Every structure is written in C-alpha cells, then in structure tokens.
C-alpha cells in the first residue's frame, strides 16, 4: 500500500514536521555546512548541487511512500515556518536488521531545547500509526551524548554496538512498536 505524502504535516506543541519541497534546498544546504552536523554525519557534507540532487530524488519518492518500507525525510520547522533541522526514516543496509533507521540533525542555533526528541517522538508515533512496522532502530556515536539522550528520551533502548562500513562503531538503539 503506497500513499502520497507531499502534503504531510505532523504538528507537535512547538514544531511542524513536513515533507520537504525543492524550495527547501538552500535551508537544507545551510545545515549541511554546519560542522556540528558534518563532524558527526560526514556524508552530509554536500555541495549545493549534491543537496539539490538528494532533495529532488526524495521529493519524487513522496508519491510512493510505503509505510511497511519507509524512506522518508522530513523538515523540522518552527511554527512560523523556519526549517531548523531534518529527520529521516530509511533503510540502513550497513546495520543488518529489517527495521528502518531514524536519523536526525538540528541547527546549532536550536540545540539543547528538546526539539529533536519532540520531533522523533512525533514521527515515530505517526509511522507506527500508519503501518505495520514492528520497530525502528537508530545509531549514535558512543561519544555523542546529545544524540544518545535524544534516543533515550524518545523511548529507544540501547541494544549494544554495531560496526558500520566506513563509519566506525556506533551504539545501537531500538524503539519497539507500542503495545
């Protein structure tokens, strides 16, 4: 069962999670230039052209969203519309599980305010409501305490560590589908 998510909006108390549009390329690219993000997620150090290609590819995929096999980036926005981060739910082939990965990044100007935990909880709840997934997984570098806190505050539990090709060792977390 596929559905079109181009108009997806998930509202929380302080945020709006929404589908990206091609109008977001400059804001997304600005995020990819922040060393606070690329030092942790080195594959996000993209040129403007790479960012545009990535966003174009994902925007086309909103038409064919499958909640059983999600591949979905969402913009994390303040109520006035400013994009302050992103959240993605997609396969992580380098971690040998059948569950998609929850990944996220937020601008350095909006860290430490609980926005990412709020976004992760809202997106996880929405995804579990729309489809049959038994769980989500996430990884965090052992030394990156803020990311670990986001996952724990969002209900994920640490399950051990995993090796990701070319990226090193990560702590591995799972969020089971709510009963």
């Amino acid at each position: 069962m596929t559905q079109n998510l181009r108009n997806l909006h998930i509202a929380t108390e302080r945020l709006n999670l929404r589908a990206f549009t091609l109008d977001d390329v400059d804001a997304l690219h600005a995020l990819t230039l922040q060393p606070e993000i690329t030092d942790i997620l080195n594959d996000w150090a993209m040129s403007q052209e790479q960012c545009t290609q990535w966003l174009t590819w994902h925007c086309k995929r909103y038409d064919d969203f499958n909640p059983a096999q999600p591949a979905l980036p969402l913009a994390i926005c303040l109520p006035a519309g400013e994009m302050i981060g992103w959240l993605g739910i997609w396969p992580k082939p380098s971690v040998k599980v059948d569950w998609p990965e929850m990944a996220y990044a937020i601008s350095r100007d909006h860290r430490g305010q609980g926005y990412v935990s709020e976004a992760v909880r809202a997106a996880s709840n929405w995804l579990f409501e729309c489809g049959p997934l038994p769980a989500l997984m996430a990884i965090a570098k052992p030394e990156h305490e803020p990311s670990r806190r986001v996952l724990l505050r969002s209900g994920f539990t640490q399950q051990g560590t995993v090796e990701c090709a070319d990226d090193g060792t990560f702590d591995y977390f799972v969020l089971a589908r709510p009963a």
Side-chain angles (χ1 to χ4, degrees), residues 2-154:
T2 63
Q3 49 189 300
N4 183 326
L5 297 184
R6 286 185 189 267
N7 296 315
L8 174 66
H9 282 82
I10 302 169
T12 72
E13 185 176 321
R14 302 178 302 158
L15 300 170
N16 289 312
L17 307 179
R18 63 168 175 76
F20 277 101
T21 71
L22 294 179
D23 292 337
D24 293 318
V25 73
D26 291 336
L28 182 61
H29 186 246
L31 279 172
T32 70
L33 297 176
Q34 292 185 6
E36 294 86 351
I37 291 174
T38 57
D39 287 353
I40 298 162
L41 303 168
N42 57 8
D43 56 337
W44 278 88
M46 292 189 263
S47 68
Q48 181 83 19
E49 181 182 344
Q50 289 170 315
C51 193
T52 300
Q53 289 171 352
W54 184 91
L55 196 56
T56 300
W57 188 80
H58 276 290
C59 285
K60 289 177 185 173
R61 293 182 50 118
Y62 287 126
D63 292 338
D64 299 314
F65 176 74
N66 181 346
Q69 299 173 322
L72 175 71
L74 297 172
I76 301 173
C77 301
L78 295 175
E82 176 188 3
M83 188 180 88
I84 62 170
W86 58 262
L87 180 146
I89 304 163
W90 38 56
K92 180 79 171 174
S94 61
V95 178
K96 305 293 186 220
V97 297
D98 293 331
W99 311 317
E101 175 190 23
M102 173 76 72
Y104 43 82
I106 193 159
S107 169
R108 64 177 158 241
D109 300 329
H110 295 91
R111 292 185 173 194
Q113 299 176 50
Y115 288 135
V116 178
S117 297
E118 189 174 325
V120 167
R121 284 190 301 270
S124 300
N125 289 339
W126 172 81
L127 188 59
F128 285 132
E129 287 173 10
C130 2
L133 283 178
L136 292 168
M137 71 84 151
I139 58 175
K141 293 202 176 195
E143 67 276 9
H144 195 254
E145 194 57 37
S147 192
R148 296 171 47 75
R149 278 194 307 268
V150 162
L151 294 171
L152 294 171
R153 287 180 184 153
S154 301

